[in-house]
Amino acid sequence: MYLYDEIDQKLVDERVVQFRDQTRRFLAGKLSDDEFRALRLRNGLYIQRYAPMLRIAIPYGLLSTKQLRRLAYIARKYDRGYGHFSTRQNLQLNWPKLPQAPDILAELATVQMHAIQTSGNSFRNITTDHFAGVAQDEIVDSFVWCEIIRQWSTFHPEFSYLPRKFKFAVNGAKSDRAAVAVHDIGLHALRDEKGEVGFRVLVGGGLGRTPAIGFVIREFLSWRHLLTYIEAILRVYNRYGRRDNINKARIQILVKERGPEKFREEVDAEWAHLKDGPATLVPEEIVRIESRFTRPSYLRLPATDAGLEAALASERAFANWHKRNVHPHKKAGYSAVTLSLKKTGVPPGDVTVEQMEKIADLADRYSFGELRVSHEQNLIFADVQLSDLYSLWQEVRELGFATPNVGLLTNIICCPGGDFCSLANAKSIPVAEAIQQRFDDLDYLHDIGEIDLNISGCMNACGHHHVGHIGILGVDKSGEEWYQIEVGGNQGEVRPGRGASLGKIIGPSFARAEVPDVIEKLIECYLARRDSDAERFIDVVHRIGVEPFKESVYGNADQRAAHRRGQLASA
Amino acid sequence: MATLIKERRIVADSWHLLERGPKGELPEVPVRGEVIVPLALWLARREELLSRVGTGTLGVWLDASEGPEALAGDVQRFPLIAVNFPKFGDGRGYSIARLLRERYGFKGELRAIGDVLHDHLFFMEQCGFDAFALREDQDAQEALSVFGTFSEGYQTSVLRPVPLFRRRLGASKS
C-alpha cells in the first residue's frame, strides 16, 4: 500500500473543501448545469439513469482492508448497501445523493482515498497488472511507476482541460496483463542490456467508438525521462487534439490525422525543450516512492506444502478452484488468489457491504491486509501462504466468491449497462447471466479452456468488448435492444506471441434471447477445429480466420445469399 | 464590462480589447488609449504598430487555436498579451500561457479573456496568467479566495518551476 505523506493528504483534503464550495454554489444557483457538470465529473459524479453515480478511485486497483471497510461503511450510510467494481479498477456507487457527495469525499479522505479525476476530460485512474509486485515474470514493480504518474497527473494545471478523457496503463511484467495497447498511453517496462529500467511507450490506443491499437512511439524510454516525455506528448495533444467533435477528440484521432511518424516528430520537437529539465526523475525520488509502499513481511517458506498437495489430490472441487483461481508467486511458499465476482446470477463486479466487510476480514487473516481489484472485475489476494489455501477456499466458497472460472467463459467482463447507465443502448447484465446459465457445466467450461468474453451495453465500450475473444455489443435498432457479436479481439500479449487485436463483427445483430445460442455455436465451431486443448479459442480464430465462425452462426455464403433473397422476396 | 483581477486584486481596467467585426474584418486601431489587438491585425500591420508597442500602449491577444510561435521574437516587446478561452472547458490556453512564460520569457501582463470563470483561476495562475478578465456574471470578490485552493502541486508550473519531488529532496538534505 502506498502511504500518503502530509502533502498527499493535504491535497486530498483541500479537494474536499473545493468541491464542497462548488456544490454549495451550484445548489445556490451560482453555477450553471453545464459549468457544474465539468466540475462534478472531475470528482467522479455522474448524473445517471436513476440517481447520481459516484466513481471512487482505487489507484492502480490496490486497496487496504481499512479502505475497503470504509467503502462498505460509505455504501451502507450513503447508498443502498452495495458497490460495483469497474473495469478501470474503480468502485462505483449507484445511488448517492448530490448534496451528500462532499461528505462522502471527506469520508474517503480519512482513509487516503478520493474520486479525483475519475471522469471528465482529464487523466483517469492509472491501471496496471493485478499481479504487480508478486508476479514471477516481473520486470519492475509497476505500482511504483503508477504512483509516480498518479502524482504527476493529479491536478496537473496545464492538462486539466484536455480535449477528452485520457487513460494510462502501466505493465511491469513480461506478460502484458494491463492491456497497454488499448490505452491512450501504454507503458511497458523493459530493461536494457545494462539492466537499466525503461519503458516501451505506446500511444493512441483505445476502446470506445473507434477502437484502435496503440502505436509504439518509442521503443525504449529511460525511466528518468518518463515525466518529461509524457508531458511532451500531452502538450502536443492538449494544443492540437480536436475539440470540435467529442467523437474525434481522443488522442488516437490526432495520431491518425497527423500520421504516427509526423506525430512522433512533433512530440520529439516539444520534448527537446523539456528533456533533462527539472521534471527529469532522479533515483532518490524512486527510492522515496518505493519506501512509502508497505511491503508484506514474507516468511521463509518451502516451495511446496504437503497439506496442499494432499487436499488437491483428494478434493476435486478444491483442485478445480486451485487450477483456475490460484496463481504463481515470486516468493516461495506463497500464491496469489482470485476471488471471482462472476457467480451466475450476480451482476459481474457487484459486491454487498456485508461481503466487503467479510472480504476485509479474510484479507487481514490471509493476505497482509491488502487486496487488489483487477480490470476483469475480480478481487485478488496477492500474498497467500500455500498452507492456507485450503482453509481460504472453504471460507471464500461460503461467501460465493470461489467460482472456479478465472480465465474461462463465464468470467465475463461486463459494464453496468442499461439497468443503470444512462448512456447504454441495451442491457448487458441479463446477457451475461443468460450466458453463464447456458454454460453452467464446469467440466465443459474447463474443456473449452481459456477465453475472454466481454460485454458492453453501448459503443463507449466500458465492458471492453473489442478486446474480448468474443465481444458482445448492445445496439439500439429503432428503440429495440439488439446485440452485435465480434470475435478475434485480444487485450494484449498475456501469452507470448499473441499481441493485442480488435475483434471483427461477424454479421447482423441478434435479439437478446438468441445470444446464448450464438455463443454456443461459436464455441462448438472452435472445439471442432482446435488442434488440441492447448490451442485456445483466440488462437484458432487467428489461425483459420473469422469466416468459419461466421458460417457456424449464419450458414455458408450460399446459404446467407439464399436467406437474403428470401427476405427480399417476402418484403 | 468584465471585472479584472490582476495580481490577486480587483483593479480598474484601462485596456480596450479590439475584436474582429461580424464578418471577420480586422478592427480599426484607435489613435489614443491602451489597446489589445487580435494577432492577425498585429501580423498584418506589424511595421506601423511597432512604435506604438514601444510606448507601452499596444498589447496583442491570441485565440486558443493560435500560438506564441506566431509572435516569436516580438513576444518581449508587448506590455500585455491576452489569451482567449472560447469555452471554459477549452484547455489550450493553459499550454499557450506556459509557453509564453517558460519558452518565450514573457514578463509582461498575461491576461486570460473570454469564458474565464471562478473555478479555473487557480490552474490559470499556475500556468502563468497574472490577470483575469472575468466573465461578466462572475462574483469577483468571491473569486479572490480561489488562489489558495491547493497549497501544493506535484508538477512543474510557472509558479513552481521546480517539481515537488525535487523540493522535497532539497528540504530533506538541508
Side-chain angles (χ1 to χ4, degrees):
Chain A
M1 214 46 231
Y2 175 81
L3 299 180
Y4 282 6
D5 73 359
E6 278 174 31
I7 296 173
D8 300 322
Q9 182 67 52
K10 202 164 175 199
L11 287 170
V12 169
D13 291 340
E14 286 169 347
R15 175 60 143 200
V16 176
V17 173
Q18 181 194 39
F19 187 62
R20 200 180 285 288
D21 181 58
Q22 289 166 344
T23 307
R24 177 189 62 78
R25 285 185 286 120
F26 171 67
L27 294 173
K30 289 185 175 182
L31 273 171
S32 71
D33 284 346
D34 219 26
E35 289 157 16
F36 185 60
R37 180 188 304 120
L39 303 173
R40 66 172 160 75
L41 287 177
R42 260 142 242 278
N43 292 283
L45 207 64
Y46 282 77
I47 302 299
Q48 277 285 34
R49 185 152 286 190
Y50 302 109
M53 181 269 275
L54 179 65
R55 184 180 290 149
I56 297 166
I58 301 175
Y60 31 93
L62 184 60
L63 260 184
S64 71
T65 51
K66 185 180 173 190
Q67 291 174 327
L68 183 57
R69 288 195 182 92
R70 182 55 58 115
L71 292 174
Y73 169 84
I74 289 169
R76 181 178 283 129
K77 180 168 173 185
Y78 298 97
D79 206 284
R80 295 195 181 172
Y82 67 96
H84 171 80
F85 288 107
S86 77
T87 51
R88 220 147 177 86
Q89 303 178 312
N90 290 317
L91 181 79
Q92 296 179 176
L93 300 178
N94 280 308
W95 313 93
K97 294 181 182 63
L98 174 63
Q100 292 183 328
D103 295 335
I104 299 177
L105 298 186
E107 300 266 18
L108 290 171
T110 64
V111 290
Q112 308 191 348
M113 293 189 81
H114 57 75
I116 294 164
Q117 294 169 198
T118 52
S119 184
N121 297 330
S122 54
F123 297 115
R124 303 297 184 86
N125 192 23
I126 324 292
T127 51
T128 192
D129 176 10
H130 43 273
F131 296 134
V134 304
Q136 284 184 333
D137 62 344
E138 172 177 297
I139 297 166
V140 298
D141 180 347
S142 54
F143 284 155
V144 172
W145 300 97
C146 286
E147 176 59 25
I148 287 168
I149 300 170
R150 184 193 76 81
Q151 296 191 7
W152 172 85
S153 64
T154 298
F155 309 143
H156 197 301
E158 182 179 348
F159 305 132
S160 283
Y161 289 87
L162 294 170
R164 197 74 181 88
K165 60 186 169 184
F166 203 94
K167 297 176 177 178
F168 278 93
V170 184
N171 191 61
K174 285 196 188 111
S175 289
D176 174 15
R177 285 177 292 263
V180 293
V182 289
H183 282 77
D184 294 289
I185 289 183
L187 298 164
H188 191 108
L190 304 165
R191 282 185 193 272
D192 68 7
E193 61 282 2
K194 283 175 256 153
E196 170 120 330
V197 172
F199 298 91
R200 182 185 298 133
V201 184
L202 290 89
V203 66
L207 300 174
R209 194 177 287 262
T210 48
I213 300 293
F215 98 98
V216 178
I217 189 168
R218 215 164 178 90
E219 268 303 336
F220 186 87
L221 176 74
S222 163
W223 63 272
R224 291 166 194 277
H225 302 309
L226 180 62
L227 297 186
T228 57
Y229 192 72
I230 59 180
E231 189 130 340
I233 294 176
L234 264 299
R235 184 169 283 166
V236 171
Y237 173 54
N238 191 44
R239 291 191 70 191
Y240 304 114
R242 286 182 61 172
R243 291 173 187 265
D244 58 325
N245 179 342
I246 188 175
N247 296 321
K248 296 190 170 170
R250 294 288 287 267
I251 194 171
Q252 50 166 288
I253 302 291
L254 179 65
V255 171
K256 252 180 232 151
E257 288 183 353
R258 289 287 210 269
E261 290 310 316
K262 177 75 179 24
F263 182 78
R264 179 188 286 133
E265 279 170 31
E266 278 184 69
V267 169
D268 283 345
E270 184 58 42
W271 191 39
H273 294 282
L274 303 172
K275 189 169 180 276
D276 299 319
T280 305
L281 284 165
V282 292
E284 294 92 325
E285 171 64 359
I286 312 306
V287 171
R288 190 188 73 85
I289 297 281
E290 274 171 352
S291 68
R292 296 206 69 80
F293 275 90
T294 57
R295 301 285 173 186
S297 27
Y298 294 116
L299 302 174
R300 284 182 67 114
L301 296 171
T304 55
D305 182 80
L308 170 64
E309 298 306 324
L312 286 173
S314 64
E315 198 155 347
R316 184 145 178 267
F318 175 60
N320 278 336
W321 176 77
H322 186 272
K323 185 175 169 194
R324 296 310 329 172
N325 296 26
V326 177
H327 319 278
H329 197 288
K330 69 179 185 185
K331 285 279 172 202
Y334 287 88
S335 43
V337 170
T338 301
L339 277 61
S340 170
L341 305 186
K342 308 297 176 63
K343 189 182 170 180
T344 302
V346 180
D350 273 17
V351 180
T352 67
V353 293
E354 291 78 16
Q355 288 170 328
M356 287 184 210
E357 283 160 353
K358 284 179 181 156
I359 290 168
D361 291 342
L362 289 179
D364 276 340
R365 280 162 46 218
Y366 288 99
S367 196
F368 298 97
E370 285 183 15
L371 66 158
R372 291 109 182 264
V373 182
S374 75
H375 82 271
E376 292 165 354
Q377 302 173 288
N378 289 315
L379 299 177
I380 315 288
F381 284 7
D383 303 286
V384 181
Q385 283 187 31
L386 297 183
S387 56
D388 284 341
L389 284 173
Y390 187 74
S391 59
L392 174 61
W393 171 65
Q394 289 178 309
E395 298 207 48
V396 168
R397 198 169 51 161
E398 196 102 321
L399 289 179
F401 296 137
T403 313
N405 62 353
V406 174
L408 301 182
L409 182 65
T410 56
N411 183 36
I412 297 170
I413 295 181
C414 181
C415 71
D419 290 298
F420 296 99
C421 179
S422 55
L423 302 173
N425 290 324
K427 292 185 181 183
S428 46
I429 292 170
V431 179
E433 190 177 342
I435 294 168
Q436 287 170 328
Q437 275 165 354
R438 177 67 59 93
F439 292 90
D440 67 343
D441 183 289
L442 201 57
D443 290 334
Y444 188 43
L445 271 184
H446 280 256
D447 183 37
I448 295 165
E450 286 185 20
I451 181 167
D452 295 340
L453 192 152
N454 299 352
I455 306 175
S456 302
C458 76
M459 75 273 276
N460 289 305
C462 295
H464 298 183
H465 64 280
H466 300 298
V467 290
H469 302 166
I470 297 176
I472 301 176
L473 168 67
V475 291
D476 176 275
K477 280 209 274 190
S478 44
E480 283 180 50
E481 298 183 356
W482 288 77
Y483 296 87
Q484 224 167 48
I485 313 287
E486 298 181 8
V487 302
N490 193 33
Q491 66 167 26
E493 201 164 347
V494 181
R495 294 275 191 91
R498 173 78 59 229
S501 58
L502 301 170
K504 292 195 177 74
I505 298 166
I506 59 168
S509 52
F510 297 94
R512 191 190 302 160
E514 298 173 300
V515 173
D517 286 337
V518 175
I519 304 304
E520 199 156 17
K521 284 176 185 159
L522 293 172
I523 295 298
E524 282 164 5
C525 173
Y526 152 68
L527 291 173
R529 284 165 176 82
R530 69 179 174 188
D531 286 339
S532 72
D533 54 10
E535 196 184 30
R536 299 170 304 163
F537 180 92
I538 183 69
D539 302 324
V540 173
V541 176
H542 282 265
R543 178 167 59 80
I544 67 176
V546 172
E547 185 58 30
F549 290 90
K550 212 183 250 187
E551 274 185 24
S552 74
V553 173
Y554 300 98
N556 63 32
D558 290 342
Q559 288 166 325
R560 296 202 294 264
H563 179 69
R564 275 196 299 275
R565 279 196 300 277
Q567 278 186 322
L568 284 175
S570 66
Chain B
M1 194 60 199
T3 313
L4 186 72
I5 294 179
K6 189 177 173 189
E7 291 164 354
R8 302 192 179 185
R9 285 204 309 269
I10 298 169
V11 298
D13 185 8
S14 54
W15 289 86
H16 184 58
L17 185 75
L18 299 182
E19 298 186 59
R20 284 174 181 261
K23 290 181 192 134
E25 65 274 22
L26 293 172
E28 288 303 313
V29 180
V31 190
R32 264 181 260 283
E34 296 164 307
V35 291
I36 311 171
V37 303
L39 172 67
L41 189 147
W42 165 256
L43 295 177
R45 295 170 55 186
R46 180 176 176 278
E47 293 309 314
E48 58 179 297
L49 293 173
L50 269 173
S51 59
R52 181 82 176 262
V53 176
T55 67
T57 59
L58 189 113
V60 66
W61 66 271
L62 304 176
D63 213 340
S65 59
E66 298 168 338
E69 293 85 355
L71 295 170
D74 288 334
V75 163
Q76 314 231 31
R77 296 176 189 271
F78 294 100
L80 181 153
I81 298 176
V83 177
N84 185 42
F85 288 79
K87 181 97 180 68
F88 63 85
D90 187 329
R92 289 175 288 183
Y94 297 91
S95 289
I96 296 171
R98 280 194 79 172
L99 288 171
L100 279 167
R101 291 291 195 211
E102 294 174 344
R103 194 160 301 163
Y104 292 88
F106 180 60
K107 299 280 192 295
E109 175 178 332
L110 185 53
R111 181 183 289 200
I113 60 173
D115 216 18
V116 178
L117 312 185
H118 179 112
D119 291 287
H120 305 263
L121 303 187
F122 181 84
F123 287 147
M124 286 178 177
E125 188 186 46
Q126 287 294 319
C127 289
F129 289 104
D130 57 357
F132 310 89
L134 292 177
R135 199 177 69 189
E136 284 184 28
D137 61 347
Q138 299 291 294
D139 181 337
Q141 202 61 45
E142 203 171 47
L144 287 176
S145 66
V146 86
F147 296 106
T149 303
F150 296 108
S151 54
E152 255 300 357
Y154 293 110
Q155 312 78 5
T156 57
S157 69
V158 172
L159 290 198
R160 298 190 186 100
V162 179
L164 179 58
F165 68 83
R166 281 184 191 266
R167 286 182 280 119
R168 273 174 167 139
L169 283 173
S172 66
K173 272 177 189 159
S174 58

